[in-house]
Amino acid sequence: MTEHEDQTYDLIVAGTGVAAFAAALAAADAGLRVLMLESTDRWGGSSAMSGDGLWLPNNPLMQRAGAGDSREDALAYLEATVGDAGPATSHARKEAFVDNVAGFVALAERHGVTFVRAPDYPDYYPELPGGKIGRAIEVAPFDVHRIDGWWDTARGQDGVPAPVKTDDFWLLSRAWSTPGGLVRGAQVVGRTLGTLLRRRRSVGMGAAVTAALLDVALRLGVEVRLSSPVEDLLVADGRVTGVRTSQAGASVDVRATRGVVLAGGGFDHNAEWRERYQGVDGSDSSGSRGNLGTAIEVAMRIGAAVDLMDDAWWGGSIPPATKDGSAAFLVSERSMPYSIIVDAAGARFANESESYVDLGHHMREHAETVPGQSWMITDVRHARRYLRSYALDPRAVKAMTEAGIMVKEPTLPALASRIGVDAAGLQATVGRFNGFCRSGVDQDFGRGNSAYDRYYGDPLVRPNPNLGPIEKGPFTAVKIVPGDLGTKGGLLSDEHARVLREDGSVIEGLYTAGNNSASVMGRTYPGPGSTLGPAAVFGYLAGRHAAAG
């Protein structure tokens, strides 16, 4: 291929995550010739590293199960949680999301993708109007033999190398402390052995959803190129007509008769942008290292508007123990009993079991008034009773210990001294918290009041499954920072996923979805899979609109 060789497709999609695949599938299903461009040498993006959950209210699986959701409840819940956070959260975009859930699911299922529900996983604010339990779905464990050699370049290899589902983790976390956890653990072991006996190589979670969607894309004739970053957009008479990409070190212009979909992720690891827009360097992000904001930047050059650039999918995380390591995003561990999170004064400042984006926001806000490091303090029972994802690998534990990120001491005063936390403050906080554990009511932050809190609790700990006293040593402290799953701000788009200018006009031929775009979820996180769910739906909308011409 030469630098000047002409290449023309109907639709070009930048990225290889869920948003990108949804766009490619919708377009290819309609007969379009589609090219997907991945900037790195591995496909799947942050989607492949995710938990696989897609928050899709009123989805077909719920309808088949008679789970009692509706369009009206879904929209009421979005208004109660998201509200008005600017143009990205317009009512039209909320309606487009809810109204096209069924279309995306039907398309994927028609081409062989198998979805399963997480029937016990609550919305993150289930007590609010329209809140439900069981709106999340995920792709069933997938045999990667079906995609032949493509698995060798999958970013999903960084995930759990077993057929484990998101719906397993709430019970697996207590696999050796509760009967339900023990049963689910046995089921996962049986599932794993069964796939091996059938000579399959099944994977779950983010690896499953991206592999399943790649499988469909390839069967529909979609071309996927790795190490092909989008360097610029081609524009003629105000319309995007293609991209300039890099292949084997040479710049190549590729034409697109129906347009371009930018679905290449956020700017998670663009240190300059993270500092400029958010005051952090991005080193504590759990997003793909290939997310540098390039696809956002090329659109900004031609006048695209952006929104929510100061926000991210925040959450409490354990910082990397090594220079090349990744942050460990905490979901279940901070909600389990026998644990609290405190600041340098030894004081609690939030409900440790709340939605991770809420905890992330609270950590950032608290740091503005009370500087210093936050720590998760745990009783020995936290380690003995529960599966802690950050401590499964002995090498990781050793690295965290050597870096001073994980500290263990026989007494709380000794622990406080080691980590630089006020000992008297910590002792007073623990004493007050232990009283809440006995009464079952967290009078300071309401931990355990919500069904979401209790989802990751321990039902055998009474009277409150999220409250276990901090009283038995040795005690462990783990450093906690406000990390993220990726950035939330990006290109502003309408209800058809078309990119907009600052004046609200449409940039013809240019679409966006996923973390490339300003999220319809605004500054909150309504339920499990609120990143991938809208990514899939707006990717689907982009592909369908482009196909309609």
Side-chain angles (χ1 to χ4, degrees):
M1 183 181 300
T2 67
E3 180 178 353
H4 302 291
E5 182 178 343
D6 179 63
Q7 301 178 60
T8 301
Y9 294 80
D10 294 318
L11 187 70
I12 297 172
V13 181
T16 52
V18 163
F21 279 123
L25 265 57
D29 177 73
L32 269 59
R33 186 175 178 224
V34 181
L35 170 66
M36 298 181 74
L37 299 175
E38 166 59 46
S39 63
T40 73
D41 59 357
R42 302 175 70 189
W43 59 271
S46 292
S47 298
M49 303 158 62
S50 73
D52 182 11
L54 294 91
W55 189 72
L56 296 174
N58 199 31
N59 65 70
L61 279 74
M62 295 184 75
Q63 296 301 320
R64 294 169 202 158
D69 203 358
S70 69
R71 179 181 192 271
E72 292 72 25
D73 282 347
L75 289 173
Y77 182 66
L78 285 173
E79 291 301 334
T81 53
V82 177
D84 182 2
T89 62
S90 69
H91 191 68
R93 276 175 53 81
K94 292 185 185 117
E95 286 186 317
F97 168 56
V98 172
D99 291 343
N100 287 280
V101 162
F104 164 72
V105 173
L107 170 68
E109 287 187 326
R110 182 157 48 83
H111 288 287
V113 176
T114 301
F115 291 108
V116 293
R117 288 183 64 213
D120 300 298
Y121 210 154
D123 289 345
Y124 289 173
Y125 312 93
E127 292 78 20
L128 291 181
K132 303 287 181 183
I133 293 176
R135 278 173 163 156
I137 67 174
E138 61 184 306
V139 170
F142 181 85
D143 180 10
V144 297
H145 286 144
R146 289 170 55 181
I147 55 174
D148 298 322
W150 280 96
W151 179 246
D152 295 337
T153 53
R155 196 167 293 281
Q157 294 182 68
D158 295 340
V160 179
V164 179
K165 300 182 297 178
T166 297
D167 188 49
D168 293 324
F169 267 88
W170 71 296
L171 290 172
L172 284 179
S173 63
R174 50 180 191 258
W176 49 82
S177 60
T178 68
L182 181 63
V183 170
R184 182 59 65 91
Q187 290 174 343
V188 171
V189 170
R191 189 188 308 152
T192 303
L193 292 175
T195 60
L196 293 175
L197 289 173
R198 292 192 295 273
R199 295 186 177 181
R200 294 180 179 175
R201 188 178 181 183
S202 292
V203 297
M205 304 182 72
V209 64
T210 48
L213 294 177
L214 172 72
D215 178 48
V216 176
L218 295 175
R219 285 191 279 108
L220 287 175
V222 174
E223 183 179 340
V224 181
R225 297 181 189 173
L226 305 182
S227 302
S228 300
V230 171
E231 299 176 335
D232 216 341
L233 296 171
L234 307 180
V235 181
D237 299 324
R239 178 184 179 84
V240 173
T241 59
V243 304
R244 177 162 294 148
T245 182
S246 176
Q247 295 172 3
S251 290
V252 179
D253 288 354
V254 186
R255 307 290 171 177
T257 61
R258 298 294 183 93
V260 173
V261 180
L262 299 178
F267 54 99
D268 317 355
H269 293 281
N270 184 327
E272 180 186 349
W273 278 24
R274 294 302 298 265
E275 185 63 41
R276 181 195 310 172
Y277 292 112
Q278 301 171 349
V280 299
D281 63 9
S283 61
D284 295 320
S285 177
S286 298
S288 169
R289 292 192 178 277
N291 293 341
L292 300 174
T294 306
I296 299 173
E297 184 179 14
V298 296
M300 291 173 69
R301 289 182 206 150
I302 64 168
V306 294
D307 196 17
L308 299 174
M309 296 291 279
D310 61 328
D311 215 342
W313 304 97
W314 304 110
S317 301
I318 301 174
T322 62
K323 183 178 179 180
D324 298 327
S326 298
F329 196 85
L330 296 181
V331 178
S332 61
E333 294 88 351
R334 58 186 171 75
S335 199
M336 297 167 182
Y338 313 111
S339 66
I340 56 173
I341 295 177
V342 300
D343 59 20
R348 295 173 70 215
F349 53 87
N351 168 10
E352 295 89 347
S353 300
E354 67 187 355
S355 155
Y356 30 87
V357 77
D358 285 347
L359 179 63
H361 278 131
H362 286 146
M363 291 185 71
R364 285 171 58 80
E365 293 163 4
H366 189 68
E368 294 177 359
T369 56
V370 182
Q373 183 61 56
S374 295
W375 297 85
M376 183 168 69
I377 310 295
T378 62
D379 178 299
V380 69
R381 287 167 290 186
H382 190 268
R384 289 176 178 172
R385 293 172 64 97
Y386 310 121
L387 182 152
R388 301 167 303 157
S389 60
Y390 60 86
L392 292 178
D393 187 343
R395 296 169 298 180
V397 172
K398 180 181 178 181
M400 287 188 290
T401 302
E402 291 175 348
I405 292 172
M406 178 182 286
V407 179
K408 184 183 295 186
E409 288 290 343
T411 67
L412 286 173
L415 186 69
S417 177
R418 284 277 308 279
I419 63 178
V421 166
D422 182 78
L426 177 61
Q427 200 69 55
T429 294
V430 168
R432 181 172 174 82
F433 179 78
N434 288 351
F436 298 158
C437 296
R438 288 187 286 272
S439 70
V441 180
D442 177 3
Q443 296 180 19
D444 290 339
F445 301 104
R447 181 173 173 182
N449 289 355
S450 170
Y452 172 72
D453 294 7
R454 297 189 293 273
Y455 180 74
Y456 284 117
D458 184 344
L460 298 185
V461 173
R462 299 184 177 93
N464 187 321
N466 298 102
L467 302 180
I470 313 295
E471 57 189 9
K472 293 187 177 182
F475 303 95
T476 301
V478 180
K479 188 179 294 186
I480 306 294
V481 297
D484 62 76
L485 293 172
T487 52
K488 182 180 282 194
L491 302 173
L492 189 60
S493 58
D494 67 6
E495 64 272 22
H496 303 293
R498 298 179 298 180
V499 176
L500 303 175
R501 298 182 179 90
E502 290 287 351
D503 62 5
S505 62
V506 171
I507 300 178
E508 297 294 342
L510 187 61
Y511 303 86
T512 188
N515 284 358
N516 249 175
S517 63
S519 176
V520 70
M521 300 290 101
R523 298 189 179 279
T524 189
Y525 209 120
S530 290
T531 52
L532 294 190
V537 171
F538 280 98
Y540 164 78
L541 281 168
R544 193 177 69 170
H545 191 276

